[in-house]
Amino acid sequence: MSDVTDFDSLRRAMAENSEEPEGPARNARAEQLLAEAEKLGVPLAVIEALGHQLKVYNYSSEKDKMFVPFARLLRMWDERPEDFDEYETHSLHWVFKWMSSGMLDQPHVPLASIEKWLGEMEHRYRLAGHSERAVRSAEFSVAAHVGDVARAERAYGAWLAADRDAMADCHACELHGQGWWQAERGRDAEALELWAPVLEGEFACAHEPHTVLASSLAPLLRLGRVDEARANHLRGFRLVRAMESMRGAYADHVEFCVLTGNEARGLELLAERPAYFTDTGHPRSKLEFMAVVALLMDRLTELGLGGQRVPGPAGRDWTAGELAAHARAQALALAADFDGRNCTEHVSERARARMGQRPLVERLPLGVRTAARPKAVAMPAPAAVVAPDGSATAAAEADLPALLAEARRLSDTLQPNAIEAWAAVSRAAEGVELHALDRAEIADHRAMDLGPEGVPLFEEAAELYAAAGDPGEALAARARGAYVTALTGEVPQALTAIADLYDRVLALYAEDGTGVRQTAAVLMCRARILMRRVHETQDAVPEAVLTDAETAAREVLALVDGRAGDDVRLASRAAEAQAMLAELAALTGDVEGAAELFARASAEFVGAGLPWFAVEYEARLAGLAHHLGDTAEAERALRAALEHGGPHLEAPGRAQLHLQLAEVLGGRGLSEEAAEHALQAAHWADEAGESRTLGAWARQQLGGFLLRQGRFAEAAEVLESALPDLSAETHGDGAVVQTQWWLGDCQSELGEHREAAERRLQAAEIARHWPEQHDHATLAHLAAESLGHAGLHAEADQAYARAGGLWRTLGNVHGLVRSLRARAWLALRVEDVEGTSELMASAVEECRAALEAVGDDEARERLVAELGHTHRQFGDLLARSATEDAEDESIRTALEEALSQVTRAVAVFASLGEDALHSRTGAELAAGWLEADLSRPAEAAARARAVLVAYEGHDEGDETAQERRAEAGQMLQVVQEQADAEREKA
């Protein structure tokens, strides 16, 4: 049986359908409702149902269906205009504009028909007395589409010159079109200036700022305003994600991903909307979408990923290369259809230009979680260089001396790429006869590169050094092997080996058989191994172990002290020894001493021209400074670490440093800069393959910093991206709860109240198991607020009751009272007046009971204020319960009770003195209006004058005081008129 039985039920059904998501289901329901309307025998019912059908078609992928209901509406108008009420008359003329753009978007509609329609629109608008503004706007769209720039400019000028009237598009839509034309003509800055009121929230509508945010992306990138582009992508994509009719705007976001090196996110966006590949109801947006698909697939192919599987039209699997060809063919075929209709090449030229774009930013971090960026396939290694005589070996021999010299220079100065230089020497030396010293150095550095697998090579290097007549370097190579052995966990074996090497090198040094550099190398390896023993000792480190390590570090310092000169290696030994002493100080609890020594070590590395070695120690120093409460030093150290590391920092370390700095800055309230570092941390964590661990932390922090700045849509996107990767096992359930909490706050600010309630309830469920229940109570209370805003009154009441019980258990009277007041207002919404009064009366009693028990003066004042607010809300609630259809006596009784409660509120606030002045005067004015409603003008006037007296000599800059004075003056005027009217009656 149909749920449409009369005109009212039809209207309710159409209103409900309007709230459904865009798409075929909503369209089908509109078609069904039209059939039901036709059965009612009411012409206006059919008119409204046709208008509803036309609207849902327009906001869907089936835009091509809207011409039929409009033609029928127009025929009905021509035959019986009296059947249309004022609203439907307005709507009929309004959708003329939709028809104009709708025809333009369908290449099978001849251009002559569109031009004829423009004339028809102009004629009908003139008859109806409307401005030509909408007509000129439609003409501009036609001219711009076909590429007639001269006509477009004329129409654009006429559009702006014509008066705005009821048929003009809303400000937001008009500004979008005007800005689009500026960007189309290469005037990006002018476009963004026009769009500013929409981007800043001054103007909005059903599809704005959605389309402006999308359209702004490429212009912002072209102008180098990448931070704004990122923000607009995060804000805008959230708006268009669920709107089926916004394929063109969706394409702009995919394009943005390609232009900013975010190809992986672009693929994710394509996967979210498979129907966009095949929906045919709006050919123009399909052309835009397929052009961008081709752009993305071409980019992947260029990166060597043409064989990668990608999302595409349903029914088969696609590689990037295959989809590139398919999308390009589809886009160009659609463009050709339009150009064939328009008799120009303009649409095809624009499509080719869009598909041929190059990235504008190498990589723009977005903050949201995406798959790892597709990597370019490595090109084959270049062929060996061939000498003039045709011998590759001879060419290598010719280059080898230069390679050796460069490798030695880099290793002598401890440059980060020294190992790679020695690897190049090793490759060039294959098959070449070399001196033993050269072969020793090659083997030594090869061993360093191999790590644990290189231990045997250290022995080979030692033998070669000995054969070359350098026994000290031979001992140093064996010492390096012993240290690597310790790194594998074989510390006792390493200690045995280094003890012998230590004795031998000291004896050799005493006999002038080797130099300071070689001796320092052995002593440093010994100190490192002893430090390794310190770190691997379980539980408390024995005093002897600590002493041995400290003695070894100081021995290094004693050896190199004053001998380093310009020798970078020796300077680095001294700095490293200082850092060892710092570590030992930290282990023994001397935090301040450790911080001083780490600072000294860092300064010595920087002074030696080796800032990249200072990174670790600045990071350690930052941690110690944070422990000591010296946030300024912690910030300085972290900034220094990032600066010193420069391009040599590995991705994981860079991510850690950025995240630590973000936390420090956030703690100082510098949320904007903190967000920048959290963004960088998320980016580098992704680059390091740590998206699910460190990356999730960084995104969680980033979302919180964006929330603090009021950037709710961006924060929500980032937090939603972080949430799936956050787990109690890895990050702690506190991080999960905080993320849900923040996300709920964002969604509440964005008006997504059901979603906010869900997030808050999920967080509350986790917090329910915590020993301390304050967070559980707060989240339950917040969830109740969201449920109430979502219109789920019964569920909201249950959540408030749950929160109230928790507040009572915690002894938090303020939370309990506020939950009771909230439940009272909910009861009023469902017209439970008795329940409303009982709940508010309970809130009053809880306040009074708490006041009897409280002893602290500050707590008492807070409770007194809470009691005053409760009486005030009780009065407001009773006044609103007096419905207009109630009996006069019932209304008067409710108003009297309301006045009694508000009067009590005045007295309570008055007892708090000046601190509660605004609360008292607000209640006084509320009481005055109730007196006026009860036909007591003298009493009302007295209350108004009391407010004016209260603010005599008050600060003129106080906005609340000004508002109260103005309201009191208004009240005096109203009651004077009321008194005059009473006198006239008498």
Side-chain angles (χ1 to χ4, degrees):
M1 182 176 176
S2 172
D3 56 349
V4 175
T5 56
D6 54 24
F7 201 172
D8 287 340
S9 60
L10 173 69
R11 283 174 164 165
R12 285 195 298 273
M14 289 190 296
E16 290 169 3
N17 195 44
S18 293
E19 296 302 315
E20 293 298 311
E22 295 176 353
R26 187 169 77 155
N27 295 354
R29 175 60 172 158
E31 293 162 6
Q32 180 186 1
L33 290 174
L34 174 59
E36 297 292 341
E38 289 169 336
K39 297 175 184 176
L40 297 178
V42 179
L44 185 58
V46 175
I47 290 167
E48 290 189 11
L50 284 167
H52 174 66
Q53 188 182 76
L54 196 156
K55 181 176 180 179
V56 299
Y57 284 155
N58 185 60
Y59 293 116
S60 78
S61 61
E62 298 179 309
K63 289 177 183 285
D64 54 335
K65 290 186 174 182
M66 66 182 179
F67 300 111
V68 173
F70 181 75
R72 184 175 172 188
L73 274 172
L74 195 58
R75 186 171 63 252
M76 292 176 72
W77 169 261
D78 289 338
E79 292 173 355
R80 290 181 56 84
E82 63 272 17
D83 289 341
F84 288 70
D85 62 14
E86 182 179 355
Y87 178 80
E88 292 304 324
T89 300
H90 172 87
S91 297
L92 177 69
H93 287 81
W94 181 267
V95 296
F96 265 83
K97 300 178 294 184
W98 294 0
M99 295 305 107
S100 175
S101 61
M103 290 178 180
L104 203 60
D105 295 340
Q106 304 290 333
H108 68 274
V109 178
L111 191 61
S113 297
I114 297 171
E115 295 286 4
K116 181 180 178 182
W117 180 257
L118 275 176
E120 178 75 8
M121 179 181 174
E122 183 172 10
H123 172 68
R124 288 182 178 264
Y125 271 37
R126 189 181 300 115
L127 287 178
H130 296 307
S131 163
E132 66 171 14
R133 189 177 181 94
V135 178
R136 297 286 78 83
S137 173
E139 181 189 4
F140 160 76
S141 298
V142 173
H145 171 67
V146 303
D148 188 342
V149 174
R151 184 186 179 193
E153 290 283 19
R154 288 195 303 273
Y156 182 89
W159 166 23
L160 270 60
D163 292 335
R164 279 190 57 81
D165 68 348
M167 284 299 110
D169 282 341
C170 76
H171 283 289
C173 289
E174 284 207 330
L175 289 173
H176 175 247
Q178 292 162 19
W180 173 86
W181 181 241
Q182 299 303 320
E184 184 75 4
R185 302 299 299 151
R187 300 185 284 264
D188 290 333
E190 290 86 342
L192 289 161
E193 187 176 347
L194 281 165
W195 288 331
V198 183
L199 295 172
E200 293 165 6
E202 184 179 344
F203 301 122
C205 69
H207 279 187
E208 294 298 353
H210 315 43
T211 56
V212 165
L213 285 163
S215 296
S216 73
L217 298 174
L220 284 168
L221 290 175
R222 289 193 291 264
L223 292 171
R225 293 159 60 175
V226 295
D227 291 339
E228 293 173 69
R230 177 200 299 114
N232 286 4
H233 169 63
L234 294 177
R235 287 175 59 199
F237 184 69
R238 184 175 186 81
L239 293 173
V240 304
R241 175 187 274 132
M243 300 183 73
E244 184 195 55
S245 64
M246 303 207 72
R247 179 163 54 182
Y250 201 98
D252 290 339
H253 286 281
V254 177
E255 177 186 59
F256 166 83
C257 293
V258 186
L259 299 181
T260 57
N262 286 286
E263 299 87 358
R265 178 163 171 83
L267 290 174
E268 292 174 0
L269 267 55
L270 294 187
E272 286 191 32
R273 276 293 184 181
Y276 277 171
F277 288 100
T278 52
D279 283 345
T280 58
H282 192 241
R284 193 171 180 179
S285 68
K286 184 176 183 182
L287 162 58
E288 294 166 353
F289 183 76
M290 297 309 286
V292 167
V293 171
L295 173 68
L296 174 55
M297 297 306 135
D298 283 345
R299 177 62 179 156
L300 292 174
T301 303
E302 181 183 335
L303 291 170
L305 299 166
Q308 177 175 314
R309 295 291 175 187
V310 294
R316 57 162 287 186
D317 292 333
W318 294 88
T319 65
E322 292 166 344
L323 186 56
H326 171 78
R328 180 175 294 275
Q330 288 258 307
L332 291 176
L334 285 165
D337 288 343
F338 280 106
D339 283 339
R341 187 267 306 274
N342 300 339
C343 299
T344 69
E345 292 292 322
H346 181 67
V347 176
S348 295
E349 289 169 0
R350 291 186 78 254
R352 289 192 182 93
R354 191 168 200 181
M355 291 187 286
Q357 293 179 99
R358 303 297 304 155
L360 297 172
V361 182
E362 182 179 352
R363 182 71 191 278
L364 178 64
L366 301 179
V368 291
R369 170 85 155 85
T370 62
R373 185 188 185 189
K375 301 293 183 184
V377 176
M379 299 299 291
V385 177
V386 179
D389 65 357
S391 166
T393 301
E397 287 179 4
D399 290 342
L400 193 53
L403 290 173
L404 266 169
E406 178 63 8
R408 284 172 178 148
R409 183 188 70 79
L410 293 173
S411 57
D412 283 346
T413 54
L414 298 177
Q415 298 300 306
N417 50 347
I419 292 294
E420 288 81 356
W422 281 105
V425 170
S426 179
R427 289 192 297 271
E430 290 180 9
V432 179
E433 287 293 328
L434 292 173
H435 186 274
L437 180 60
D438 297 335
R439 287 189 288 128
E441 289 182 278
I442 292 172
D444 200 0
H445 287 90
R446 175 70 175 149
M448 296 178 201
D449 190 27
L450 288 174
E453 296 176 7
V455 173
L457 266 179
F458 280 118
E459 183 60 33
E460 179 184 328
E463 293 174 358
L464 288 167
Y465 280 127
D470 192 343
E473 202 62 62
L475 293 172
R478 290 191 173 97
R480 286 188 281 274
Y483 174 55
V484 172
T485 299
L487 292 177
T488 65
E490 301 291 336
V491 175
Q493 181 182 339
L495 284 170
T496 301
I498 201 67
D500 176 60
L501 296 169
Y502 170 74
D503 291 339
R504 289 168 62 187
V505 81
L506 287 180
L508 191 62
Y509 179 64
E511 299 168 357
D512 292 329
T514 191
V516 175
R517 177 185 284 193
Q518 291 79 8
T519 307
V522 176
L523 266 59
M524 178 53 74
C525 286
R526 177 171 176 267
R528 288 172 178 169
I529 293 168
L530 288 167
M531 287 297 296
R532 191 73 184 172
R533 184 173 67 167
V534 169
H535 292 308
E536 291 197 351
T537 302
Q538 299 294 320
D539 303 322
V541 183
E543 186 68 29
V545 172
L546 291 169
T547 300
D548 287 348
E550 181 180 352
T551 301
R554 292 193 182 281
E555 196 169 356
V556 173
L557 284 170
L559 175 67
V560 301
D561 186 36
R563 296 185 177 89
D566 294 331
D567 191 326
V568 172
R569 284 178 178 270
L570 289 181
S572 75
R573 301 298 186 209
E576 186 176 352
Q578 295 279 10
M580 288 178 176
L581 294 175
E583 276 195 73
L584 293 169
L587 284 170
T588 58
D590 182 7
V591 178
E592 292 183 357
E596 182 180 343
L597 286 165
F598 274 130
R600 191 181 303 168
S602 175
E604 290 187 11
F605 273 123
V606 174
L610 304 170
W612 45 88
F613 284 112
V615 172
E616 177 186 352
Y617 307 121
E618 291 285 9
R620 294 290 301 276
L621 178 55
L624 294 173
H626 189 75
H627 177 77
L628 291 168
D630 189 349
T631 55
E633 175 61 11
E635 180 184 340
R636 183 213 60 77
L638 289 166
R639 290 188 190 278
L642 284 166
E643 180 184 350
H644 294 332
H648 307 299
L649 263 178
E650 295 292 330
R654 192 181 295 273
Q656 287 279 8
L657 289 171
H658 276 296
L659 184 56
Q660 290 173 40
L661 184 53
E663 291 170 348
V664 170
L665 293 168
R668 291 183 54 207
L670 304 174
S671 58
E672 288 190 24
E673 190 179 358
E676 292 174 12
H677 286 285
L679 175 68
Q680 290 297 323
H683 167 69
W684 289 108
D686 290 345
E687 292 291 303
E690 297 185 17
S691 292
R692 296 186 181 279
T693 50
L694 184 59
W697 267 119
R699 272 180 271 280
Q700 194 248 15
Q701 290 294 302
L702 174 58
F705 295 136
L706 292 170
L707 172 61
R708 285 192 207 175
Q709 296 172 56
R711 297 160 66 178
F712 304 116
E714 296 167 66
E717 278 292 295
V718 171
L719 292 169
E720 285 175 343
S721 174
L723 201 52
D725 291 333
L726 290 168
S727 67
E729 296 74 21
T730 303
H731 306 91
D733 54 7
V736 178
V737 167
Q738 183 64 81
T739 307
Q740 296 274 26
W741 194 328
W742 281 339
L743 184 51
D745 290 347
C746 291
Q747 290 170 325
S748 178
E749 293 288 344
L750 294 168
E752 301 169 5
H753 297 299
R754 283 177 180 262
E755 295 82 356
E758 182 180 350
R759 296 299 182 188
R760 288 165 167 175
L761 288 170
Q762 289 170 350
E765 183 59 26
I766 298 173
R768 183 170 68 88
H769 303 286
W770 294 353
E772 209 291 313
Q773 289 288 285
H774 185 272
D775 285 342
H776 180 200
T778 303
L779 285 162
H781 201 114
L782 290 171
E785 287 182 7
S786 294
L787 289 165
H789 287 308
L792 302 171
H793 299 145
E795 293 87 344
D797 184 70
Q798 291 174 5
Y800 275 126
R802 172 184 174 185
L806 291 166
W807 292 130
R808 187 184 295 280
T809 301
L810 290 167
N812 189 320
V813 180
H814 298 278
L816 171 60
V817 167
R818 289 167 190 176
S819 67
L820 287 167
R821 292 199 310 240
R823 292 182 65 196
W825 285 107
L826 283 172
L828 182 63
R829 289 190 194 179
V830 296
E831 300 181 2
D832 179 7
V833 178
E834 184 177 345
T836 288
S837 296
E838 289 177 1
L839 286 163
M840 201 63 86
S842 296
V844 170
E845 288 306 313
E846 293 291 347
C847 284
R848 288 176 174 163
L851 277 168
E852 291 177 4
V854 73
D856 178 70
D857 288 343
E858 184 178 345
R860 170 174 289 278
E861 286 187 8
R862 289 184 63 229
L863 279 169
V864 169
E866 198 73 77
L867 176 61
H869 290 301
T870 305
H871 279 304
R872 168 67 194 274
Q873 288 196 35
F874 201 169
D876 291 345
L877 187 146
L878 289 168
R880 295 191 191 185
S881 69
T883 57
E884 291 181 3
D885 56 353
E887 295 179 2
D888 289 347
E889 190 56 37
S890 172
I891 293 174
R892 187 170 188 84
T893 299
L895 293 178
E896 291 282 9
E897 292 175 357
L899 178 59
S900 173
Q901 291 292 336
V902 177
T903 301
R904 291 175 192 173
V906 172
V908 171
F909 287 134
S911 72
L912 293 172
E914 189 69 18
D915 290 342
L917 175 62
H918 292 330
S919 297
R920 176 171 70 83
T921 54
E924 192 82 72
L925 289 168
W929 291 116
L930 288 167
E931 300 275 21
D933 289 341
L934 289 164
S935 301
R936 299 170 185 165
E939 290 84 346
R943 292 188 181 275
R945 292 189 188 98
V947 170
L948 292 173
V949 169
Y951 286 114
E952 284 180 357
H954 209 75
D955 180 11
E956 291 298 326
D958 187 331
E959 290 185 11
T960 303
Q962 291 179 11
E963 290 171 2
R964 294 282 194 272
R965 288 194 191 101
E967 187 177 351
Q970 181 185 9
M971 184 180 295
L972 287 171
Q973 182 179 350
V974 168
V975 297
Q976 182 61 50
E977 292 172 356
Q978 190 178 56
D980 291 345
E982 289 295 325
R983 280 194 296 272
E984 287 180 9
K985 286 182 183 178

